[in-house]
Amino acid sequence: MKLFFSALLATSLSAASADKTVFSVKDDLSFDESGKLAAHHMLYPAGNWDCPAATAAAPHGFEFRALAGEALQMVFPDYEPGSSACPVACPELGTDRSVAHAIMPHRRNPDSTNNFNDWFEGNCKRAEVCLINYHSRETPVKLFWVDRDGNPKLHMEIEYGERKTRCFHSFVGHRFQAQDGDTGAVVEEFTIEHTLSTAIGESPPSGDPQGHNFDREIESTLRHEWTKHERIQRTFSPLGFKKARLPDDVFASMGSFYFNNRNNVLREEWNGKGVFVNWWETDCYFVQIPWDLKGKWQERLRLLVEAWAGVPVEQTDMYGLRQYVEGARLLTHVDRESTHAVSLIVNIAQHNLTEPWPVEANDHADRLHEIIMQPGDIVYYESAKALHGRNRPLMGEDARYINLFTHYRPTGDPKWMLKANPEGTPEPVLEVKGECRLQTVGTAELPNKQLGIVEAVKCDDERLGDTISPTLFTATGGEDLIDWWKMTGANRKKATYNIE
Ligand SMILES: *[C@@H]1O[C@H](CO)[C@@H](O)[C@H](O)[C@H]1NC(C)=O
């Protein structure tokens, strides 16, 4: 009789654990219809019953899963089966299936046996929140934290606009209420489900087109940008730019942040900031990145840029995520020289494009290159010297293209541009052997299902790489930049912004 009982017990236990055990990250975790994690997850090795995660109850917003086999190997490659250690990791809600195994170091703990609860509260449940007041210019919005019993407690006041963004730490599951500062009327109520960046109220238009003569401003800007780029002598790399790939865990973190906040994009303020983005023709959006998260990304990206530039670099700027939509164009330009020596573009996501939207970058001899990026790709570039832009309009109904930009200069050296190249700097590619020509390399299916001919540029001199523009365009002065802007804009969609 006793035997019979324990056999029953064993059966039901193994059924319970088999139900939770994950053998494949891609197949066995919970994903939504877009292939993104449908909840925050807490992952730990199966079979270790001393592991606090194995017996803890999952709180609001979380699923706890034990890993075995290939999943265990992918998430915890250093784990030795039978070890008494309890490594844990918590991939975020909204992480793409392809990188759900890749978890940033700040969301991992090599052994949680003695500190599971504190670590989990501080690293998995804790969520940064950034809020902007677009509700009222006159009176700050009042933000209340709502306690367990439903009582609102004043948390902070938020003044109007992007510059007055307030960021703070909260926890998944906490509730908030925003009230009009004058009337006390509740304007918004929300529960924190993930790292959050949003606004109370609606962002105003990017700028006021009244009083502008855009064609004239664009032409004088392009002439000026040409002159600026000619002033810089210092180079870091053979061509002035290079395409590479983000590490999976950084891509996972950026991708989930964007996905979770994709409906919170705000119009970027462009008044008085020039004509580099065609904000009068198409809306340009941004998402503010919470400060701690930004710091985590910055340090990882800095190490990549440093390795590429070949000198120690310090971070000077990181712009929030930018989201471009159909019709967006970026004028050819160079960046502010004292702070922008070497920079990085990251493509985080792109949707509904009917044509690629290449980054245009001039090499050190002003030959035009067009570099096509996929989500997770990065392009390093010498931002004060290499002219860059995206003059071709972003094409596709409901097209979206989401980028991050981050900027560096040689550590402690705001006058870096006045210095000669140090010994060991790669030789810039100026004179080249032979020529480049456009060649048919095959066929491919176009978005309209027709078969199209794929052409690529082949150069005799391999140092030019495979990104030379199919137009074989080389600029020799500001007038050429103006020609390129006119040429690429010839078939652009009519302005969506109504200028009267
Ligand atoms: C792509 O376009 C379709 C149709 O306009 C739209 O419903 C969808 O939301 C777009 N996808 C994204 C991710 O923006």
Side-chain angles (χ1 to χ4, degrees):
M1 200 58 196
K2 212 170 168 210
L3 206 87
F4 176 73
F5 242 89
S6 62
L8 242 186
L9 193 66
T11 316
S12 62
L13 247 184
S14 73
S17 64
D19 178 44
K20 280 178 88 181
T21 304
V22 166
F23 294 94
S24 156
V25 169
K26 282 191 170 67
D27 297 333
D28 300 342
L29 298 184
S30 308
F31 293 97
D32 67 12
E33 65 283 359
S34 324
K36 314 291 181 189
L37 278 182
H40 298 287
H41 280 66
M42 161 58 58
L43 309 177
Y44 59 95
N48 178 355
W49 293 100
D50 293 332
C51 184
T55 47
H60 170 92
F62 280 83
E63 286 187 27
F64 282 24
R65 296 298 195 89
L67 306 186
E70 186 202 66
L72 181 62
Q73 174 62 31
M74 281 183 87
V75 176
F76 303 113
D78 299 331
Y79 180 77
E80 286 173 25
S83 154
S84 65
C86 176
V88 284
C90 49
E92 284 169 273
L93 167 76
T95 303
D96 193 77
R97 187 192 295 272
S98 63
V99 285
H101 65 281
I103 299 149
M104 295 269 284
H106 70 282
R107 296 180 71 94
R108 287 176 170 276
N109 179 349
D111 188 4
S112 67
T113 311
N114 296 317
N115 64 0
F116 178 73
N117 287 330
D118 288 348
W119 180 82
F120 180 72
E121 281 286 310
N123 295 273
C124 302
K125 263 189 84 179
R126 200 157 93 125
E128 265 186 297
V129 179
C130 289
L131 297 174
I132 301 180
N133 164 10
Y134 278 132
H135 170 71
S136 165
R137 285 178 194 271
E138 287 71 40
T139 338
V141 161
K142 286 200 165 95
L143 183 74
F144 293 83
W145 174 69
V146 182
D147 74 11
R148 255 174 242 267
D149 303 323
N151 305 312
K153 307 246 159 88
L154 185 62
H155 190 57
M156 58 172 55
E157 301 200 346
I158 310 168
E159 289 181 65
Y160 186 85
E162 184 188 325
R163 285 158 169 273
K164 300 289 186 177
T165 305
R166 295 291 306 266
C167 297
F168 57 95
H169 285 100
S170 180
F171 294 90
V172 170
H174 281 210
R175 285 165 57 207
F176 288 88
Q177 195 178 78
Q179 295 184 4
D180 182 284
D182 274 335
T183 64
V186 175
V187 282
E188 223 149 303
E189 273 184 300
F190 52 93
T191 300
I192 305 300
E193 301 293 351
H194 47 71
T195 304
L196 177 68
S197 181
T198 190
I200 313 292
E202 198 173 331
S203 50
S206 292
D208 179 3
Q210 288 286 338
H212 282 276
N213 180 334
F214 290 109
D215 283 1
R216 209 169 56 215
E217 286 170 50
I218 285 168
E219 290 183 16
S220 79
T221 301
L222 289 172
R223 289 190 190 100
H224 182 62
E225 296 299 313
W226 180 268
T227 316
K228 273 169 68 186
H229 110 285
E230 280 197 307
R231 285 207 296 259
I232 313 278
Q233 297 307 313
R234 172 83 163 96
T235 60
F236 296 87
S237 65
L239 291 175
F241 65 88
K242 185 179 164 61
K243 181 170 148 180
R245 187 80 195 157
L246 269 183
D248 281 348
D249 61 337
V250 180
F251 182 39
S253 174
M254 291 179 173
S256 64
F257 172 73
Y258 169 69
F259 184 78
N260 292 336
N261 289 283
R262 68 194 183 285
N263 297 320
N264 303 335
V265 295
L266 304 170
R267 283 184 208 89
E268 189 170 4
E269 295 170 16
W270 267 92
N271 259 334
K273 294 199 214 161
V275 292
F276 297 103
V277 174
N278 59 338
W279 52 264
W280 59 95
E281 293 178 326
T282 163
D283 279 324
C284 179
Y285 299 92
F286 80 105
V287 183
Q288 196 90 268
I289 307 164
W291 299 328
D292 277 5
L293 183 62
K294 192 184 228 185
K296 300 274 182 344
W297 293 351
Q298 277 172 341
E299 185 49 17
R300 293 290 295 281
L301 297 178
R302 191 186 66 76
L303 297 171
L304 296 174
V305 170
E306 191 164 275
W308 178 68
V311 293
V313 298
E314 62 188 356
Q315 157 101 37
T316 53
D317 239 332
M318 180 188 271
Y319 298 120
L321 301 193
R322 287 232 174 89
Q323 174 177 287
Y324 303 97
V325 298
E326 182 181 20
R329 304 176 72 191
L330 314 186
L331 214 57
T332 307
H333 68 284
V334 283
D335 299 339
R336 195 170 352 110
E337 46 189 53
S338 60
T339 49
H340 294 38
V342 282
S343 299
L344 192 60
I345 307 172
V346 180
N347 180 238
I348 294 177
Q350 44 180 285
H351 299 290
N352 287 340
L353 272 63
T354 50
E355 286 173 33
W357 198 42
V359 196
E360 305 152 0
N362 285 12
D363 69 19
H364 292 311
D366 282 305
R367 289 167 290 241
L368 179 67
H369 293 249
E370 299 197 57
I371 308 140
I372 296 170
M373 302 176 74
Q374 300 300 331
D377 283 344
I378 55 184
V379 171
Y380 304 104
Y381 60 115
E382 301 182 24
S383 39
K385 183 169 197 326
L387 285 156
H388 55 278
R390 289 186 195 247
N391 287 264
R392 296 184 189 277
L394 176 56
M395 302 295 278
E397 200 177 326
D398 264 318
R400 274 154 223 244
Y401 199 99
I402 297 90
N403 277 349
L404 177 87
F405 300 88
T406 175
H407 304 278
Y408 306 83
R409 71 175 169 214
T411 304
D413 195 3
K415 296 269 191 304
W416 63 272
M417 60 283 185
L418 303 175
K419 300 191 175 150
N421 285 358
E423 199 150 335
T425 305
E427 212 39 50
V429 178
L430 298 173
E431 299 295 317
V432 292
K433 293 184 285 292
E435 55 177 21
C436 296
R437 54 202 110 57
L438 203 55
Q439 285 183 347
T440 301
V441 294
T443 53
E445 193 179 299
L446 301 175
N448 63 10
K449 305 282 175 211
Q450 303 271 312
L451 218 51
I453 291 171
V454 179
E455 294 191 306
V457 177
K458 295 277 176 209
C459 298
D460 296 329
D461 197 319
E462 289 184 352
R463 294 174 304 161
L464 288 173
D466 56 3
T467 51
I468 283 280
S469 165
T471 60
L472 304 179
F473 191 79
T474 295
T476 57
E479 301 312 308
D480 288 337
L481 303 185
I482 296 172
D483 281 350
W484 178 251
W485 172 69
K486 289 183 176 160
M487 240 165 81
T488 49
N491 65 350
R492 76 183 193 266
K493 197 179 165 255
K494 263 228 163 73
T496 52
Y497 202 108
N498 213 358
I499 305 169
E500 313 242 72

